[in-house]
Amino acid sequence: MKIIKVENAAVGSHKAYNLLVQGLQTQARVLGLATGSTPILLYQEMAHSELDFSHITTINLDEYLGLNTNNPQSYHYFMKQHLFKFKSFSKNYLPNGLAPDINQELQRYDQVIADNPIAIQILGIGQNGHIGFNEPGTSFHSQTHCVTLSSSTRAANARFFPNKQAVPQKAISMGLFSIMQSQRIILMAWGKDKAETVSQMINGPITEKCPASILQKHPHTTIILDSAAAAKLN
């Protein structure tokens, strides 16, 4: 792991943007994208840049089950509002949270990932160590799967909904095995609430109790942290 410590999220997001630009200059053609508050500043920089993404394919990590793509809380809607309405891509792939046959949808998404190997995967990290929606206990061998969200994840995401009860209980997520196949990973974490989890991810044992700890085994991962998120590192 390469650890980059920065003053704040704005500086860290700009670092991530520069790494992304470097990747595109070396012929990266498939980007793995995350949602949530962590990558918003990165997407703003991408959206207002002069970069041409028309030859780039994107593959998102996850989507809630049961939400229409026009629902303001869906990740389809999130990506449109923060990036896709500003920039045209060759293709944008996200899981279909309304698929009538979920098992078929999981197989479809695995095929999408197989057909479009991810060059650069953007990640955030949850307070319980999840990446994507891979909650603690998820197998390191997992591919796209249906997830029952933990109470802590639903509580953390409740700020985007009217209340915790409105947060969907299930989601579709790219698996940990699939994430690890990415050629390069850029994980960002901001704020003191992530400090303990970041420490476990970087310095703790590699265990399914902290899904992000598997990144210790990835050959090309960059972790970008603001000072608060890095507070418990040596």
Side-chain angles (χ1 to χ4, degrees):
M1 289 178 168
K2 180 180 180 181
I3 312 298
I4 299 176
K5 299 178 184 179
V6 297
E7 181 180 354
N8 54 47
V11 176
S13 298
H14 186 64
K15 290 277 189 183
Y17 173 79
N18 286 337
L19 291 175
L20 189 68
V21 171
Q22 292 173 20
L24 295 176
Q25 291 172 342
T26 56
Q27 306 304 309
R29 292 293 179 267
V30 182
L31 304 180
L33 301 180
T35 50
S37 58
T38 299
I40 287 178
L41 292 177
L42 169 61
Y43 294 159
Q44 286 180 0
E45 194 154 355
M46 292 170 65
H48 296 101
S49 74
E50 295 184 359
L51 292 176
D52 177 13
F53 293 104
S54 61
H55 59 299
I56 299 297
T57 294
T58 70
I59 303 178
N60 265 73
L61 286 168
D62 41 30
E63 177 60 286
Y64 289 113
L65 279 183
L67 295 189
N68 186 284
T69 58
N70 292 321
N71 187 306
Q73 309 309 330
S74 76
Y75 288 157
H76 281 75
Y77 189 90
F78 175 98
M79 291 307 305
K80 179 179 179 181
Q81 292 301 113
H82 290 287
L83 184 58
F84 295 162
K85 75 177 183 181
F86 299 102
K87 290 291 187 179
S88 295
F89 291 80
S90 175
K91 187 71 176 180
N92 302 123
Y93 291 105
L94 294 93
N96 179 6
L98 291 177
D101 186 326
I102 296 300
N103 288 330
Q104 188 175 46
E105 175 61 12
L106 303 182
Q107 294 173 15
R108 179 192 75 86
Y109 215 64
D110 279 339
Q111 192 62 52
V112 165
I113 297 166
D115 291 344
N116 301 275
I118 296 172
I120 303 173
Q121 175 66 62
I122 303 298
L123 294 176
I125 183 171
Q127 290 183 31
N128 63 4
H130 72 246
I131 49 178
F133 269 140
N134 293 289
E135 299 281 26
T138 301
S139 169
F140 287 151
H141 302 288
S142 59
Q143 294 180 275
T144 308
H145 57 122
C146 187
V147 182
T148 298
L149 302 176
S150 69
S151 58
S152 64
T153 296
R154 295 182 70 229
N157 289 358
R159 66 188 187 276
F160 302 116
F161 291 81
N163 51 61
K164 181 180 176 180
Q165 288 67 39
V167 183
Q169 297 186 17
K170 294 181 180 293
I172 295 173
S173 180
M174 185 187 299
L176 293 169
F177 175 84
S178 303
I179 290 171
M180 289 292 287
Q181 301 312 299
S182 306
Q183 295 173 24
R184 181 168 192 168
I185 292 173
I186 301 171
L187 183 146
M188 299 175 288
W190 322 129
K192 63 181 181 180
D193 291 343
K194 301 292 178 70
E196 178 61 34
T197 304
V198 164
S199 177
Q200 293 177 16
M201 170 181 65
I202 295 172
N203 295 322
I206 299 174
T207 169
E208 292 173 356
K209 293 180 181 179
C210 178
S213 66
I214 190 61
L215 297 179
Q216 293 179 36
K217 290 188 172 183
H218 193 275
H220 200 167
T221 291
T222 301
I223 311 293
I224 305 176
L225 308 169
D226 68 5
S227 55
K232 295 192 176 183
L233 297 180
N234 296 331

